[in-house]
Amino acid sequence: MRETRRSPGCSDQGLRRRDFVKVAGGAALGLAPRGGRTSDAEAGFRSAWKGSRTWIGPEYWANPLQDWHLDDGEVVARAAPGRTLHLLTHQVGSTGDGFQTEVSVRPPGSEASSRRSDATWAGFAFGVRGELAGYQHALVRPSTQVNAGLRGDGRVFCGDTVGGAVPLEGPVRLMLSIRPSGAGYEARLSARAGPEGHSAEVAASLEASRLPGNIALAAQGPGRPRPETSGVEWGFRDWSFSGPQVENDPEHLFGPILWTQYTLSRGTLKLAAHFPPLDDNDDTEARLETRDGRGWQAVTSAPIEPLSRTAVFRVDTWDDTRDTDYRVVYSWQGEDHHWRGTIRRDPREKDQLSVGIFSCDHGEVFPQHRMVRNVAVQNPDIVFFAGDQIYESYGGFGVARRKPSGEAMLDYLRKYWQFGWTWRSILKDRPSIVIPDDHDVFQGNIWGQAGRALPQSSEGWGFENGGYLMGVDWVNAVQRTQAGHLPDPHDPAPCDSGIDVYFTEMRYGGASFAVIEDRKFKSGPGDILSPSQRAEGRRDPRVVDVDGAELLGPRQEAFLRWWAKASADADFRLVCSQTIFCKATTHSGGRLERRLIDLDCGGWPQAGRSRALAALRPAQDVVMLHGDQHVGSLVRHGINEWEDGPIGFMVPGTSNGFPRAWWPEQPGEDRMPGDPEWTGRYRDGLGNRITVLAAANPERGSNTDEGQRGLNAEEIAHIKGSGHGTLVLDRQARTATFEIWRHAHDAAKPKPEDRFAGFPIVVNLFR
């Protein structure tokens, strides 16, 4: 399903084809006829930039988003390492007789010092490829490219070859031509400047293997990509790209409607549509329409919230007994754009209800083609993303902490767009529960301390002191992008700081889902524990179980007590949260060293953990779903006795970063016959009772350079224990089937080794 549909005859950013023909002599512009990839004459591109805004347009990807903008039709870039503006719809193919590309470049103005300007350059990056195949992966993890452009001292270059110079008193027209030459190609870059037509050129020989890949504009300087820029700005106008080796696929457009995510609960639909940063003069509302026998009918409209760039639609009288096609409609630059999907009927009559569970994507294998394809084959009824949809390192360029909320939000949106771009084909057609975790709000760990501001610290960021680093408006905007489509909060009062809450119940498929926030109200250990207590706690975890330490806080504990009774009529009862309510790991860190306690996990504070689990006792059939720890686990919690608590199911990361494992030193007690030695009854590192039914561990040595040598990103993700979970609930048999799938498998032809050892596990649900 295409994310955006344009009216026939519409071309680049709303410029009508007949108008472009008059301007550009009939060259094809940015969009091929529908029907997929084209090449040669149909593949030509020419920009038609207009307006003033941050987002350049649906044909482009800016690295990073906040360092590129449109100013009255001119693309302006803040020069720094890695700054590129990729063309999404057109790439250089692997065969053909080359290509040509041109752009007008405005050198830095007089306000930029000559020393800073001379260290920068502007022009083209081509043959941009990543370690994994595909134009999307190359956008955010480029591993090879060729640069050609104009330096700040006026000299032109191509690769390592430097040519002549032109004056930089006004715009300079850059023309790059790639043509076959002998066994390879010749790249020739020419520059023409000023009314006198001063010119310079440079030529370089290239192997054929250097050409295929993305093409981008670039405004760069020396060094490694970081958040900071040089302060030097270059401008671009009138970019064209054509030739026999150019391939065009209009399906690569991204925007202006980026994706949707929705929930359906008790006949109420809430659907969030995501948008880029738009022009101040652009429409501020979007529409929701559904299709019936009479065609498309308007249902409701919603404003686009300025900071999160989301429009949240709500329909309280939704007919959940049938599948309904929908589309979000947004009018941009004179054309209606659409994003289509299906609101599925509530599957409460199906024999089985299936849930896909995901967490912690470190970004190395963006856009997760294999996993998305597998999930589409598995076709879950609902999907749950348990947190860390992004990491601060997502897409490079560091993280915009301590920045004004507007700039920091652009940094976050660029990262979260990668999540949406990855999963939008899944999200558009089924309900989803998405909740943010620590990295989603730019923190390495988070003890939310009831939403207060994080105290200043003289040592690092001081996350353990409890609170939120980022501002209230920014945190609320992040929550809106991820959880804004959830049913209304059960207890909607915001925190004293103004940070909103989202803990709630959702009814779907005959199941009741309790969605909780196990980070927001949790006490910071640095605030409630003395240094001596923390030191002693490494030897005796009972020392850190102090009075006054909160896990869920009184409001959520009250919610769980209410929910355990109010959900008694549901066929299934599930609790969704960020992390598991125990320490289900024994080893962690770069060297996977044994670690006794972990105050970040849901096993601390122990008394708060016991209160939360005890609140669920009236619902003996509860299954708890989690992520966060980068290793999969299936446990039965114990509160006062062994196995007197609910089941906890934690899935590994979809792309594991920080490594963890469950490698206990002693065999578990009371194991089932034939089960691995690391299953059975244990006291976790915090003293909590857990009965381990299965664990999805990484391969030993997978975190080392030696273990990863010669492997690509997908292969590394596989050996590090990455994957995803599925839960199938059988209505008649009263069983829950738990599976954790390894990263590299084919869901259309599953094999036993595609699952982690010990899975699948079928558990009888109590009543």
Side-chain angles (χ1 to χ4, degrees), residues 86 151 179 204 318 327 406 429 442 475 542 671 676 679:
H86 287 248
R151 300 193 326 191
R179 292 289 180 266
W318 191 268
R327 67 181 185 183
D429 293 333
F442 289 1
V475 173
R542 292 174 295 181
R671 301 188 310 280
T679 63

Side-chain angles (χ1 to χ4, degrees), residues 67 76-83 108 116 119-122 218-221 228-234:
D67 288 338
V76 180
R78 294 188 285 186
R83 271 57 181 181
R116 287 186 293 137
T120 67
W121 65 271
Q220 301 194 17
E228 298 77 20
T229 69
S230 63
V232 175
E233 292 187 343
W234 292 78

Side-chain angles (χ1 to χ4, degrees), residues 547-565:
D547 291 340
E550 297 287 353
L551 176 59
L552 298 184
R555 294 172 62 187
Q556 290 194 104
E557 289 177 8
F559 165 64
L560 287 183
R561 290 192 296 271
W562 168 86
W563 176 79
K565 296 177 181 179

